[in-house]
Amino acid sequence: MNRPLVIANAPLSSWLTDGLSARYDLRPASDPGANEAQVLVTTGIHGADAAAMDALPALKLIAVHGVGYDKVDMAHARSRGISVTNTPDVLTDDVADMAVALVLATARRIAESDAYVRAGRWGRDPLPPLGRKVTGARFGILGLGRIGSAIARRLEPFSPHIAYHSRNRVEGSAYAYAETAEALAEQCDFLIVATSGGQGTQHLVDAAVLAALGPEGILINIGRGSTVDEAALVDALVNGRLGGAGLDVFDDEPRVPDSLLALDNVVLQPHQGSATVETRRAMADLVIANVDAFFGGKELPTPV
Ligand code: NAP
């Protein structure tokens, strides 16, 4: 019997490729027979626009490897009756760990100091500038969802000053609620972006929010690059109106503005929030579970 066809339109982990290939006829989107596929596997970074969906007339399921589905045209998927699944929860801890790593690395100038030692400058040149104290600092979480909440829990031992902003107040939360992103930035030293991406959060962190964060404030972004006005961010950093930034995500990945590369007070990561062996395995398993459920006629484990 022919194995069901599954199309991939992005590079996948070896666990996902092997797992899918063991069960299905896995082919790239460029394959001539792709248009008969009912299932498309993609990543949070790649996604599927209307044209990608319409190239697959039989498409019934888009299984996203990642929690963010801002690169999937959800309205188009809905209009065509295509289900979309993602991989929530299994990556929450890793992304929250990355946010805390960026808080510490940026505040304590870890990357800059590492480069200083490697370059043989220790003992020859003045030491790097002093960092900023993390213990007792005021933290603002933009987007107290699964990942934002996990970041807040990790920061509790550092400081009692944790506030958040999202469109809705989180029922029962002990953290102070700020009505706007700007109001949150005004009352914190570290603003940590953990919202979902897409149109709803496009440039939510704009020049006004960065001004409210101020010349000693530090911006951390592990959400999506589109949520921060990158030109305003670069301008604030270059002109000393922002203290520093720790960034895992960018507006036009993998392109990073040259002006950011030249700055000592930023720590840059190539979108590595969920990049551990354990989590990438778990994400692959969850994608496969969704595809298996679709072909088995069962309820999808993690629909969007
Ligand atoms: P989630 O539980 O859905 O949380 C999203 C949060 O964003 C919620 O608190 C939501 O609250 C808030 N939000 C949405 N739109 C908003 C708006 N316009 N203004 C203010 N707040 C808004 O999702 P999650 O699992 O925590 O994941 C969050 C995001 O992290 C993902 O969507 C993805 O883009 C990103 N991510 C990045 C990596 C990485 O490698 N760096 C890995 C995984 C995920 P309200 O609905 O109340 O506004």
Side-chain angles (χ1 to χ4, degrees), residues 90-105 146-155 158 192 194 220 222 248 269 272-276 278-279:
V90 293
L91 45 63
T92 296
D93 284 332
D94 275 0
V95 185
D97 290 348
M98 175 61 87
V100 176
L102 285 172
V103 164
L104 289 165
R146 287 173 293 243
I147 294 171
S149 301
I151 295 168
R153 281 196 299 278
R154 280 159 173 72
L155 292 174
F158 283 98
I192 303 169
I220 305 296
I222 51 78
D248 187 43
Q269 289 288 301
Q272 295 287 282
S274 66
T276 67
E278 294 82 355
T279 291

Side-chain angles (χ1 to χ4, degrees), residues 229-252:
D229 180 341
E230 205 165 81
L233 173 66
V234 169
D235 188 48
L237 285 165
V238 167
N239 293 299
R241 286 185 274 104
L242 189 68
L247 308 170
D248 187 43
V249 288
F250 302 86
D251 210 15
D252 186 24

Side-chain angles (χ1 to χ4, degrees), residues 168-223:
N168 308 291
R169 278 174 195 262
V170 176
E171 197 82 22
S173 171
Y175 310 126
Y177 179 73
E179 294 286 344
T180 62
E182 196 174 331
L184 181 66
E186 251 160 36
Q187 55 179 276
C188 65
D189 306 305
F190 293 84
L191 181 65
I192 303 169
V193 181
T195 53
S196 32
Q199 279 183 351
T201 55
Q202 174 83 14
H203 291 188
L204 183 60
V205 176
D206 58 10
V209 172
L210 296 170
L213 192 53
E216 304 200 334
I218 289 177
L219 180 81
I220 305 296
N221 190 5
I222 51 78

Side-chain angles (χ1 to χ4, degrees), residues 66-82:
V67 70
Y69 49 86
D70 45 295
K71 289 281 171 64
V72 176
D73 186 334
M74 291 299 292
H76 196 71
R78 236 172 256 127
S79 74
R80 274 199 43 196
I82 298 167

